[in-house]
Amino acid sequence: AVITFAHAQKWGNYNLVALQNSASATLLDVNNNNTVVKTWTASSGGNTAYSAYVLEGGTLLRSIKVANSVFTGGGMAGGIQKLDINNAITWTYNVSSTTVCSHHDVCPMPNGNVLIIVYELKTAAELTAAGGSTSHAIWPDKIIEVQQTGPTTGTIVWEWHAWDHLVQEFDATKANYGVVANNPQLLNINYKNTTMTKDWMHCNGVDYNATLDQIVFSSHYLNEIYVIDHSTTSAEAATHAGGRYGHGGDLLYRWGNPAAYNGTGTADFNVVHDAHFVPDNCPHAGWFVGWNNGATPTKSGADWVNPNRNADGSYNLSGGAMTPATYSRRQLSSGKTNNMGSAQQLPNGNTLFCIAQTGIIQEVDSNNTTVWSYTASGMIAQSSRYEKCYVFGNPVMPTLAQNGTILTASTTTTGVTYQWLLNGATISGVTGATYSPTQSGDYQVIASNSVGCQSDTSAVLPFVVVTGTNNPQNSTELAIFPNPTNNILHLRGTAIEQTVFDVHIYNMYGSLLKTAHSQQDIDLNGLANGVYSVKVTAANNAIYTQKITLMR
């Protein structure tokens, strides 16, 4: 591989490189000479077919190649796979038969499910009945949402079929008849559909927006991106009504090629891949981006589209009009790839390009100046950038407990060190799970794992260091110390091993406030914060006194 650096601000830490037809995928440290910090290698289950993503916590999700004698061609997959941070295969799910085959992209969802693009076989007779102007087998696309149920099993919990949303003006006696230009919410079954066409749409990119509950996907051969409503049930998605936006599974929005629905205007996309929403933490959040392979005769790039979405998340799609009339922003990469490719928008305003066929990945700033680049030794369909602690995970927020004069930190994450804080300031030189305070105040901890990722700061645990004639740090006869978190005064030491003793608690003016008899743990409820004097009289008439300060 060839590595090139430019001295400017990059975003994030690690870049994913998943070569096509390889069993392995690697993470490169973009801030440390592109050293490999993690490699996933599958022991079985096929090679990377097209897309790969890192999930939070270090699991690799990728599409994998599964042999299929019916569905053949570019981007064919047949299954998906997960490999955890330790390289164990945690899920292999195949979508490959004589009637269906997954291909190209997948999309991990916030609920843990995965969206998968799938071809489904329709016969020549079915195409004719649907109003097709030609007679041949065809592979329209569907999108399924799969929930993992076991190491090799899953349940389809939602699905959408392009076949349910067609229009044609070829044959009034067949299904789906209507005026194409008047129905931009539907797909013209006869657009770019010839006797040589099986792979009609060739969808290749899919993304999900949880706030809008919408899915966007791209079609290479129809040169458009489409938006559909995910809030529908699967039954509603097969109709033209229902869901959050009221249109069932019909297209909510489409952009890139007006000819596909007999609309006005010229095409912008010239082979499109990697349709996605601009993430919420990036400039122009919510816009759409498609990777335009033929943006110019010599360069591929990212076309940004502001759909002028309504306040409720809906779109204005009517009368065959396409809005906006042209892209809202175009960023060109340094090279060209005739197919595949991706463009990831980053929070600092930079964009990560993957010029797939050349193996070049480059990060550019808002002025399109290259700030980082890498050339792999093979083709990469897509590439993504991640922050270190997204991959390796922040430790679970620790809890603090007090046992006498010792504070103990704990978390369910293993192999961590602790940073101790007193009144919000770091206590230097203390990294262990226990600490014996020497000052009164509010204590907290932060847990850090081996790569330096940190938890949130723990809750505050107030602690009082007791001062007086019998210091609990070194007294063997009597230790008196309060626990403000549960309002208990603890008495410990040889003096109270006698069976009979009396306890008196006075305020700073000498007034007796509380008494107890032969109790080692005394309830302090009812006493306000302040300074008190504790007097313990043992059975042998020995008297021990100590001042305590309550600071809850």
Side-chain angles (χ1 to χ4, degrees), residues 416-436:
V416 300
T417 57
Y418 294 96
Q419 175 182 314
W420 288 81
L421 307 175
L422 170 59
N423 298 326
T426 300
I427 303 172
S428 62
V430 182
T431 59
T434 60
Y435 182 62
S436 297

Side-chain angles (χ1 to χ4, degrees), residues 435-506:
Y435 182 62
S436 297
T438 58
Q439 299 181 54
S440 300
D442 291 335
Y443 286 85
Q444 296 170 284
V445 289
I446 298 171
S448 298
N449 62 16
S450 60
V451 294
C453 298
Q454 296 184 333
S455 68
D456 291 332
T457 306
S458 74
V460 173
L461 178 61
F463 183 86
V464 176
V465 173
V466 180
T467 58
T469 57
N470 294 297
N471 190 324
Q473 304 294 328
N474 53 38
S475 172
T476 58
E477 291 189 331
L478 179 66
I480 304 173
F481 50 92
N483 184 342
T485 60
N486 58 9
N487 287 312
I488 299 296
L489 181 72
H490 300 292
L491 306 180
R492 301 291 185 267
T494 57
I496 62 169
E497 291 176 2
Q498 303 176 59
T499 57
V500 179
F501 59 91
D502 292 311
V503 182
H504 297 78
I505 302 177
Y506 304 87

Side-chain angles (χ1 to χ4, degrees), residues 17 61 97 109 236 288 291 313 360 391:
V17 177
L61 170 69
S97 71
M109 301 182 72
E236 289 172 332
F288 298 113
W291 175 255
I360 295 173
V391 177

Side-chain angles (χ1 to χ4, degrees), residues 160-174:
W160 174 91
H161 301 253
W163 199 251
D164 295 326
H165 303 280
L166 303 177
V167 65
Q168 56 89 15
E169 52 189 24
F170 172 72
D171 190 338
T173 67
K174 298 296 191 297

Side-chain angles (χ1 to χ4, degrees), residues 75-93:
M76 209 64 67
I80 63 173
Q81 186 181 73
K82 286 182 180 178
L83 294 105
D84 70 14
I85 192 72
N86 297 313
N87 245 17
I89 299 174
T90 59
W91 192 29
T92 300
Y93 180 76

Side-chain angles (χ1 to χ4, degrees), residues 38-300:
K38 170 65 187 170
T39 299
W40 294 269
T41 301
S43 58
S44 62
N47 296 335
T48 299
Y50 190 88
S51 60
Y53 301 95
V54 180
L55 308 183
E56 189 169 7
T59 289
L60 180 76
L61 170 69
R62 63 180 188 144
S63 63
I64 57 172
K65 283 191 174 291
V66 176
N68 191 300
S69 60
V70 174
F71 297 91
T72 58
M76 209 64 67
I80 63 173
Q81 186 181 73
K82 286 182 180 178
L83 294 105
D84 70 14
I85 192 72
N86 297 313
N87 245 17
I89 299 174
T90 59
W91 192 29
T92 300
Y93 180 76
N94 289 349
V95 188
S96 180
S97 71
T98 57
T99 58
V100 296
C101 188
S102 68
H103 62 102
H104 288 88
D105 201 13
V106 299
C107 175
M109 301 182 72
N111 61 5
N113 297 347
V114 179
L115 293 176
I116 307 173
I117 304 172
V118 181
Y119 289 126
E120 56 180 346
L121 177 66
K122 299 295 180 180
T123 65
E126 288 176 303
L127 176 57
T128 298
S133 59
T134 58
S135 178
H136 59 90
I138 190 172
W139 305 341
D141 282 296
K142 67 176 179 178
I143 297 173
I144 60 175
E145 177 185 350
V146 181
Q147 179 184 59
Q148 182 177 358
T149 57
T152 60
T153 58
T155 299
I156 298 175
V157 297
W158 182 89
E159 58 188 311
W160 174 91
H161 301 253
W163 199 251
D164 295 326
H165 303 280
L166 303 177
V167 65
Q168 56 89 15
E169 52 189 24
F170 172 72
D171 190 338
T173 67
K174 298 296 191 297
N176 308 310
Y177 186 74
V179 178
V180 171
N182 292 343
N183 290 277
Q185 78 282 7
L186 303 174
L187 296 163
N188 178 5
I189 186 60
N190 292 314
Y191 180 71
K192 290 194 175 181
N193 185 357
T194 70
T195 55
M196 299 299 292
T197 303
K198 287 184 179 179
D199 184 1
W200 170 46
M201 301 175 69
H202 198 85
C203 294
N204 50 37
V206 61
D207 192 26
Y208 175 69
N209 185 300
T211 302
L212 300 170
D213 207 1
Q214 295 174 5
I215 294 169
V216 63
F217 61 100
S218 48
S219 167
H220 174 154
Y221 291 156
L222 304 187
N223 270 316
E224 291 189 283
I225 61 172
Y226 305 106
V227 179
I228 56 176
D229 185 356
H230 175 264
S231 75
T232 59
T233 64
S234 293
E236 289 172 332
T239 70
H240 311 291
R244 175 173 170 179
Y245 301 99
H247 299 293
D250 283 349
L251 304 180
L252 300 179
Y253 182 75
R254 66 195 300 171
W255 195 89
N257 180 19
Y261 52 98
N262 292 345
T264 57
T266 58
D268 278 84
F269 287 138
N270 180 15
V271 180
V272 60
H273 287 78
D274 186 39
H276 59 270
F277 296 88
V278 176
D280 288 343
N281 61 346
C282 297
H284 305 300
W287 285 20
F288 298 113
V289 175
W291 175 255
N292 194 345
N293 293 81
T296 75
T298 58
K299 290 186 178 181
S300 301

